[in-house]
Amino acid sequence: MMTIALQGAEFFAYHGFYPEEQKLGCRFLVDVEVDFSPKHDFSDDNINNTVDYEKVYNIACEEMKHPRKLIETVAEAIIEKIVEKYPFVRSIRVAVKKLNPPLIGKIACSSVTINYQPAK
């Protein structure tokens, strides 16, 4: 089994339950880990034999552009798109962190993590 990962991909987006969050926007960090069994060995040095982390980043980037009330919905959408592109994945872990959420006290971030494994 192999894992590709993106750690701390930063985005400015308009996710949030409250209307002012969707109007003002906020900074987010996204972490993605994808576990898979390679279809081929890597002796031919071919990117098509792996999960391309640039494509995974582009998926996250595209999903962050669609405002949603819940960061859970964002994480699920990222997972769905990765599974569509790479149906051979064994598991996916996506964490979406909202930096400096609008709370009374000082909070570094709020976050949600979703773990996905295909049904057997």
Side-chain angles (χ1 to χ4, degrees):
M1 179 121 62
M2 233 172 222
T3 302
I4 67 100
L6 298 174
Q7 300 294 324
E10 189 168 337
F11 302 95
F12 189 87
Y14 298 89
H15 309 300
F17 182 77
Y18 299 105
E20 58 270 15
E21 292 178 285
Q22 291 190 2
K23 184 177 179 182
L24 298 174
C26 186
R27 288 181 29 242
F28 293 83
L29 296 179
V30 176
D31 300 332
V32 181
E33 293 181 12
V34 181
D35 296 325
F36 65 101
S37 294
K39 294 194 247 182
H40 307 283
D41 66 28
F42 293 101
S43 61
D44 64 356
D45 210 23
N46 186 337
I47 198 163
N48 294 319
N49 294 339
T50 190
V51 174
D52 182 347
Y53 60 79
E54 181 179 12
K55 289 188 169 119
V56 170
Y57 174 82
N58 290 337
I59 287 169
C61 186
E62 193 58 36
E63 292 307 317
M64 291 299 289
K65 291 178 184 176
H66 302 290
R68 296 180 173 104
K69 289 183 179 179
L70 303 176
I71 57 177
E72 290 87 336
T73 309
V74 178
E76 280 187 348
I78 292 169
I79 288 169
E80 287 172 10
K81 296 293 185 192
I82 293 170
V83 170
E84 282 177 24
K85 180 78 179 154
Y86 300 104
F88 57 88
V89 300
R90 296 299 257 313
S91 67
I92 303 170
R93 180 178 177 271
V94 173
V96 178
K97 303 169 187 173
K98 179 184 277 192
L99 302 179
N100 304 307
L103 299 172
I104 294 172
K106 182 164 174 51
I107 305 290
C109 70
S110 58
S111 69
V112 63
T113 301
I114 297 180
N115 295 297
Y116 162 85
Q117 288 188 318
K120 293 183 182 185

